[in-house]
């Protein structure tokens, strides 16, 4: 593939600008269709601490409560503006995520996992559903476990190279186990849609005995949070734009990160640029040395 080459810092900033473009398209679409959404995770942290991207961050995350998420996915599947498209495990071969993404068409964002999965991924914004949790603590733990397991198995099915939590000998062992699990899943699972089916069955099976606490079940990386801490949304500045964030943003960030105001030491600032980014305008960044 040809195209002009750029260095990593230029590529990171250009990636952020493209992701911001997608984010603003989503914001306009949600306003048009009266869909409530909010900046999530590190994107919400960036808004609170930097009024924009965390300088070394390379992705954008947003979220919606389940009702808005389902309506967004239904409408966005056909009605996004030209040049942008909705992607899920249901409509995109090789897609391992059990949550939605909006791509900028004509671009490419390729990491080791997507390459192994044969997934032609564009530059994207992640969209996570937040689901209300059962009141019963046993049932709650079971549903969180089953939903997150479905997501982990989907990642393991689609790629043998996945991120592991440790380095050194333990990390090598974890990678070996993941590769073995990948082989077993590829042999035993005929249709990867089974992972989305398992996740959807957890959500659909929640029933009526639900609390006012919610969580993103595909990636339960914080303690459950009350819906009143999220809605009605507040507003924060992100890259010069007033965008929705959780109602009690400080509580949300403390719940997810602890002391979120503390900027990490330089050695702890991680940018996870992929193997290749094609910006669709003749500019290509590669990291395949």
């Amino acid at each position: 593939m040809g195209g002009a080459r750029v260095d990593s810092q230029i590529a990171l900033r250009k990636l952020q600008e493209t992701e911001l473009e997608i984010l603003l398209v989503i914001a306009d679409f949600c306003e048009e269709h009266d869909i409530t959404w909010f900046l999530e995770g590190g994107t919400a942290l960036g808004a609170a601490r930097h009024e924009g991207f965390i300088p070394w961050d390379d992705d954008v995350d947003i979220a919606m409560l389940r009702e808005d998420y389902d309506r967004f996915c239904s409408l966005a599947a056909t009605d996004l503006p030209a040049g942008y498209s909705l992607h899920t495990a249901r409509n995109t071969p090789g897609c391992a995520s059990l949550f939605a993404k909006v791509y900028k068409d004509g671009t490419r964002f390729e990491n080791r996992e997507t390459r192994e999965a044969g997934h032609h991924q564009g530059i994207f914004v992640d969209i996570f559903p937040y689901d209300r949790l059962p009141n019963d603590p046993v049932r709650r733990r079971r549903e969180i476990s089953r939903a997150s397991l479905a997501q982990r198995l989907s990642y393991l099915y689609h790629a043998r190279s996945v991120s592991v939590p440790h380095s050194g000998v333990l990390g090598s062992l974890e990678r070996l186990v993941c590769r073995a699990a990948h082989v077993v899943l590829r042999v035993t699972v005929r249709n990867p849609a089974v992972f989305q089916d398992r996740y959807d069955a957890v959500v659909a099976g929640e029933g009526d005995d639900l609390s006012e606490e919610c969580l993103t079940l595909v990636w339960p990386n914080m303690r459950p949070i009350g819906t009143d801490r999220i809605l009605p949304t507040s507003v924060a500045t992100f890259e010069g734009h007033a965008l929705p964030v959780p109602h009690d943003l400080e509580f949300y960030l403390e719940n997810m990160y602890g002391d979120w105001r503390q900027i990490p030491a330089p050695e702890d600032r991680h940018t996870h640029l992929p193997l290749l980014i094609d910006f669709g305008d003749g500019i290509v960044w590669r990291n395949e040395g």
Side-chain angles (χ1 to χ4, degrees):
M1 181 182 295
R5 297 289 297 275
V6 296
D7 68 29
S8 59
Q9 286 304 308
I10 294 174
L12 174 60
R13 188 54 193 160
K14 188 171 176 64
L15 176 62
Q16 291 173 338
E17 291 169 352
T18 306
E19 291 166 343
L20 178 62
E21 174 190 327
I22 301 168
L23 177 63
L24 295 178
V25 167
I26 295 171
D28 288 343
F29 184 84
C30 289
E31 182 175 6
E32 178 184 355
H33 294 284
D34 195 25
I35 295 170
T36 300
W37 66 282
F38 53 94
L39 301 181
E40 202 264 354
T43 310
L45 174 60
R49 198 170 66 192
H50 304 275
E51 295 191 349
F53 284 96
I54 297 171
W56 54 91
D57 201 9
D58 59 352
D59 65 0
V60 168
D61 299 324
I62 70 171
M64 304 168 186
L65 297 190
R66 169 59 60 179
E67 181 178 352
D68 284 295
Y69 175 86
D70 286 346
R71 196 158 64 88
F72 174 84
C73 289
S74 177
L75 292 168
T78 55
D79 294 347
L80 282 174
Y84 306 89
S85 52
L86 181 81
H87 294 264
T88 69
R90 298 284 189 201
N91 70 3
T92 304
C95 179
S97 62
L98 304 184
F99 51 90
K101 297 172 181 276
V102 170
Y103 294 179
K104 181 177 181 181
D105 298 337
T107 65
R108 188 174 172 191
F109 186 97
E110 183 176 295
N111 55 31
R112 194 173 305 279
E113 292 85 351
T114 61
R115 180 176 291 179
E116 291 178 359
H119 177 194
H120 301 294
Q121 179 173 254
I123 297 174
F124 61 90
V125 165
D126 285 329
I127 306 169
F128 294 97
Y130 273 51
D131 287 292
R132 289 169 61 202
L133 298 169
N135 282 300
D136 178 67
V138 173
R139 187 170 155 220
R140 175 180 292 202
R141 288 192 298 270
R142 182 175 66 245
E143 293 190 359
I144 292 173
S145 176
R146 287 177 176 176
S148 59
L149 176 61
Q151 178 63 92
R152 292 195 299 273
L153 290 175
S154 181
Y155 283 136
L156 284 170
Y157 173 90
H158 284 90
R160 65 181 180 275
S161 301
V162 296
S163 298
V164 297
H166 300 96
S167 57
V169 174
L170 181 55
S172 297
L173 179 60
E174 289 170 340
R175 283 188 289 272
L176 181 63
V177 170
C178 287
R179 289 183 183 130
H182 169 75
V183 171
V184 171
L185 287 168
R186 296 296 287 195
V187 170
T188 59
V189 175
R190 292 187 177 184
N191 185 349
V194 67
F195 304 116
Q196 187 73 67
D197 291 341
R198 290 181 182 179
Y199 174 80
D200 291 346
V202 170
V203 174
E206 286 180 349
D208 297 326
D209 185 30
L210 298 179
S211 72
E212 291 303 320
E213 290 187 313
C214 62
L215 198 61
T216 177
L217 296 178
V218 291
W219 198 252
N221 58 347
M222 66 176 178
R223 295 186 303 276
I225 185 170
T227 56
D228 62 337
R229 301 282 192 174
I230 294 177
L231 300 178
T233 56
S234 300
V235 174
T237 298
F238 186 86
E239 298 294 326
H241 301 272
L243 296 176
V245 293
H247 177 72
D248 192 340
L249 182 58
E250 290 200 10
F251 180 91
Y252 174 87
L253 293 174
E254 288 170 2
N255 187 41
M256 182 172 286
Y257 297 107
D259 185 7
W260 57 272
R261 293 180 179 83
Q262 182 66 40
I263 296 179
E267 61 270 20
D268 296 324
R269 302 173 190 175
H270 302 296
T271 300
H272 304 288
L273 286 173
L275 298 176
L276 180 145
I277 309 173
D278 183 345
F279 292 97
D281 59 359
I283 303 296
V284 176
W285 182 84
R286 293 185 177 89
N287 180 26
E288 304 186 72

